[in-house]
């Protein structure tokens, strides 16, 4: 009876004391601030306690840099957050000014209130990393067709906002578990005029930094300085339209189009610590005057997309070339600086240990250690463990210099290497090499890159369609781009299932009209303009599913990244049966897959409260409260095999992602397939993986690395694109890096590939020297001791 109690006491004592030896740092400081504020006391805290310092979020993606340098995995969620805000900024700027395309009538072409509400719902439902989405209009800047007799009038305030609700105890879900599929939707512009604390434009609101980033738009001097964008539209009847509209600042403008808020506690709303990306929305104001010379472009609203602060990775490594700061958490890692260096890991969020400690050049891991020391293990270590040398690397005693003047490899050794890589002796030239059982990766890459707009017609159609394993990794590396399509599919599904144009409401409120051509064109082009990896996007409606149209397929594409000119075509213009999009393989596959069974679709619940009257006043529940809709998620989409688009407007290698959207049938009895959203990404932006994989992984390039498999292992490197050498060769357990290097303890894959090709062509090479050696003694003295021992033993044996 004594022993279990004693062990329990020792366990509790150890748990409470294991961190006491560590001094408090910035992580503890911010953790204390996070735990201090909650929904019960946030309303009484000073404003300084509701915000965190700006440097608590570091390595924010810069739109001016993302095309040049790779975005690390621990910042892809922030990049998607900014792209989504930019997407909404472009769309609402375009659709607000699209009325100039149409004839002037005593009506407005603006989206109705439900369009705004369900748009913010789709922003959140399509991505689990996004917690909230909102459009905040400046006072008297929002026009709406949702009320009778409201033409050329404005709402005093209008701010549709959606945030993800915790439905653990929601009576709708009897499972008593959080689904993350319930959304609270509010019009934050509906409040009493006497309540300054609910006025999101007022300083009394407190946490409205997102509003003051761009609004009010008090421009000094000329107002025609808003960035303009041009859209060339070709309709199905072969008529053309060139529309110029004002939008958010361009990527090359200073400042750029995206501003970030400090992390703040969303008091009284979602009651979470959030970080927001903010993009302005432009419009021509005042409207419908009949005198264009007095109308001027101005920012009338902001798009705000927010995510949970605690899901953003922190970087505890010291300030360095990859961690230039400002970073409040820099140098809080527990790596042994004498023998190791810090390297951040992704996916840890706001908690300690999101790093690993690698050996410095000139040092190696102990013979009992297989991989770099994990930060999580070091952070949990006791004082005795930390200072006992367990997490130290061992010094390498003898280091050698790299060969400066290479020489030709011995013919016998060269033949051995060629036998191991027999695909370089016998291969099919050109695109035929893709069909070889063991591919020659250099020939394959050169053949793929050799196809261009000038010679693509010389190839057979089947040669320009690669096998699916040549697009391995696309579902991960292009996940954010696919979520753009999922977001639009979610919105169209929600609008078709929730908004009824024939609905009659009491009072002066009017139901939203059917989706219009301009709205669909705007949605397609905003996807292309907001994401640098997406080269084209299309909304393909099934036959007779779009109002008053047999076929309708707005397809937007661009020719340069972050340019100011986008092209849109209605692909229903094509009249040949083999060119109609409804006969394309990806469309027929998606339609057949979702023709009858919809059980696996996600079910999203919407708890919507909107304004009671035109002036706002107070919130009122939507008539069908709560309501729901069914839509596809990311896994329901279809990834195509890589293909070369020789007949399309943008001629290049692409990967297509298609996701369906759904609505009620004519009797409103069951769901039916209405169409699909597609986005295409350039294949050559994909990072290939030459490292070994499990046998069932569909990767055409696996195992094609040039690392010495006896002494090293392959680790992929991000950002090398569709080319060889996107890896590094790390020494395995029991081996060490033998060369004198100031920055590296591994062999770079590009260097390995170059030296291998020199060896292949029988040129001077250092390929045979680029391998790890068996880990020897830690100090030169130990080697001298062994030598002396052997000499003495030899002398004794000789004396006998």
């Amino acid at each position: 009876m004594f022993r279990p109690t004693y062990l329990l006491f020792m366990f509790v004592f150890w748990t409470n004391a294991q961190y006491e030896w560590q001094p408090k740092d910035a992580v503890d400081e911010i953790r204390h601030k996070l735990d201090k504020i909650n929904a019960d006391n946030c309303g009484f805290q000073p404003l300084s306690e509701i915000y965190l310092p700006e440097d608590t979020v570091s390595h924010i993606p810069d739109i001016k840099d993302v095309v040049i340098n790779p975005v690390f995995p621990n910042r892809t969620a922030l990049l998607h957050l900014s792209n989504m805000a930019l997407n909404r900024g472009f769309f609402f700027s375009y659709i607000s000014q699209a009325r100039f395309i149409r004839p002037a009538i005593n009506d407005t072409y603006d989206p109705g209130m439900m369009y705004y509400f369900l748009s913010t719902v789709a922003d959140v439902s399509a991505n689990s990393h996004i917690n909230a989405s909102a459009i905040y209009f400046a006072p008297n800047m929002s026009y709406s067709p949702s009320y009778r007799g409201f033409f050329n009038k404005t709402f005093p305030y209008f701010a549709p906002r959606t945030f993800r609700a915790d439905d653990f105890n929601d009576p709708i879900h009897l499972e008593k578990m959080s689904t993350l599929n319930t959304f609270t939707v509010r019009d934050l512009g509906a409040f009493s005029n006497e309540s300054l604390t609910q006025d999101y434009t007022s300083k009394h609101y407190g946490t409205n930094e997102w509003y003051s980033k761009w609004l009010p738009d008090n421009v000094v001097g000329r107002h025609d300085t808003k960035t303009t964008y041009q859209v060339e539209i070709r309709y199905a009847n072969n008529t053309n339209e060139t529309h110029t509209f004002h939008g958010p600042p361009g990527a090359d403008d200073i400042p750029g189009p995206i501003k970030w808020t400090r992390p703040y506690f969303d008091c009284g709303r979602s009651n979470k610590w959030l970080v927001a990306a903010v993009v302005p929305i432009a419009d021509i104001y005042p409207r419908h005057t009949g005198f264009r010379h007095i109308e001027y472009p101005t920012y009338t609203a902001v798009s705000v997309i927010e995510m949970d602060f605690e899901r953003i990775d922190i970087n505890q490594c010291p300030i360095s070339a990859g961690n230039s700061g400002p970073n409040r958490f820099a140098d809080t890692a527990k790596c042994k600086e004498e023998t190791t260096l810090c390297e951040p890991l992704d996916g840890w969020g706001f908690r300690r240990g999101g790093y690993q400690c690698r050996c410095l050049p000139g040092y190696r891991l102990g013979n009992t250690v297989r991989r770099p020391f994990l930060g999580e293990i070091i952070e949990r270590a006791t004082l005795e463990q930390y200072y006992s040398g367990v997490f130290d690397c061992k010094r390498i005693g003898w280091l050698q210099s790299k060969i400066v003047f290479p020489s030709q490899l011995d013919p016998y050794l060269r033949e051995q290497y060629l036998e191991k890589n027999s695909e370089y002796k016998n291969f099919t030239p050109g695109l035929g090499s893709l069909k070889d059982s063991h591919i020659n990766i250099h020939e394959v890459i050169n053949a793929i890159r050799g196809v261009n707009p000038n010679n693509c017609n010389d190839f057979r159609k089947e040669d320009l369609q690669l096998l699916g394993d040549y697009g391995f990794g696309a579902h991960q590396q292009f996940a954010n781009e696919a979520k753009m399509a999922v977001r639009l599919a979610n919105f169209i599904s929600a609008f078709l299932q929730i908004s009824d144009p024939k609905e009659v409401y009491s009072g002066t409120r009017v139901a939203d009209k059917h989706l219009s051509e301009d709205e669909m064109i705007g949605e397609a082009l905003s996807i292309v303009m907001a994401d640098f990896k997406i080269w084209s996007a299309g909304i393909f409606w099934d036959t007779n599913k779009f109002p008053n149209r047999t076929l309708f397929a707005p397809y937007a594409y661009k020719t340069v990244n972050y340019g100011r000119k986008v092209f849109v075509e209605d692909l229903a213009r094509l009249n040949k049966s083999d060119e109609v999009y409804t006969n394309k393989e990806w469309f027929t596959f998606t339609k057949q897959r979702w023709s009858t069974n919809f059980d696996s679709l996600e079910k999203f619940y919407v708890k919507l409260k909107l304004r009671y009257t035109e002036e706002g006043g107070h919130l009122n529940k939507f008539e069908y409260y709560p309501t729901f809709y069914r839509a596809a998620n990311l896994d329901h989409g279809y990834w195509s095999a890589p293909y070369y688009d020789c007949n399309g407007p943008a001629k290049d290698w692409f990967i297509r992602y298609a996701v369906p959207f759904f609505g009620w049938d004519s009797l409103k009895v069951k769901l039916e397939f209405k169409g699909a959203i597609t986005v295409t990404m350039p294949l050559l932006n994909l990072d290939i993986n030459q490292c070994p994989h499990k046998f069932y992984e569909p990767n055409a390039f696996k195992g094609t690395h040039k690392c010495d498999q006896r002494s090293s292992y392959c680790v992929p490197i991000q950002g090398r694109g569709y080319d060889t050498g996107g890896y590094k060769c790390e020494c395995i357990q029991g081996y060490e890096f033998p060369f004198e290097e100031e920055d590296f303890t591994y062999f770079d894959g590009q260097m390995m590939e170059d030296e291998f090709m020199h060896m292949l062509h029988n040129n001077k090479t250092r390929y045979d020297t680029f391998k790890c050696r068996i880990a020897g003694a830690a100090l030169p003295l130990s080697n001298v001791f062994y030598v002396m021992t052997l000499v003495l033993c030899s002398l004794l044996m000789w004396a006998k």
Side-chain angles (χ1 to χ4, degrees), residues 94-95 97-105 107-109 233 235 237 239 241 243 516-519 521 549 552:
Y94 172 83
I95 202 63
Q97 301 165 58
R99 66 187 184 282
F100 296 117
I101 303 177
R102 304 303 176 194
I105 59 175
D107 198 355
T108 177
Y109 296 104
I233 306 173
Y235 297 100
N237 58 4
T239 59
E241 179 80 36
H243 177 50
S516 68
E517 292 185 19
D518 289 333
E519 290 167 349
I521 290 173
R549 293 288 300 273
F552 181 50

Side-chain angles (χ1 to χ4, degrees), residues 413-428:
L413 288 177
R414 179 174 177 272
E415 190 62 29
Q416 282 189 322
Y417 283 121
L418 294 181
E419 286 296 329
K420 292 180 181 178
N421 300 274
S422 58
E423 65 272 12
Y424 285 88
K425 300 177 67 175
N426 300 303
F427 61 88
T428 307

Side-chain angles (χ1 to χ4, degrees), residues 391-431:
F391 305 112
D392 283 309
C393 290
K394 301 184 181 300
R395 188 175 184 82
I396 300 175
W398 297 99
L399 292 173
Q400 61 192 77
S401 299
K402 284 185 179 179
I403 297 176
V404 179
F405 303 103
S407 60
Q408 285 186 327
L409 198 63
D410 181 87
Y412 175 75
L413 288 177
R414 179 174 177 272
E415 190 62 29
Q416 282 189 322
Y417 283 121
L418 294 181
E419 286 296 329
K420 292 180 181 178
N421 300 274
S422 58
E423 65 272 12
Y424 285 88
K425 300 177 67 175
N426 300 303
F427 61 88
T428 307
L431 288 177

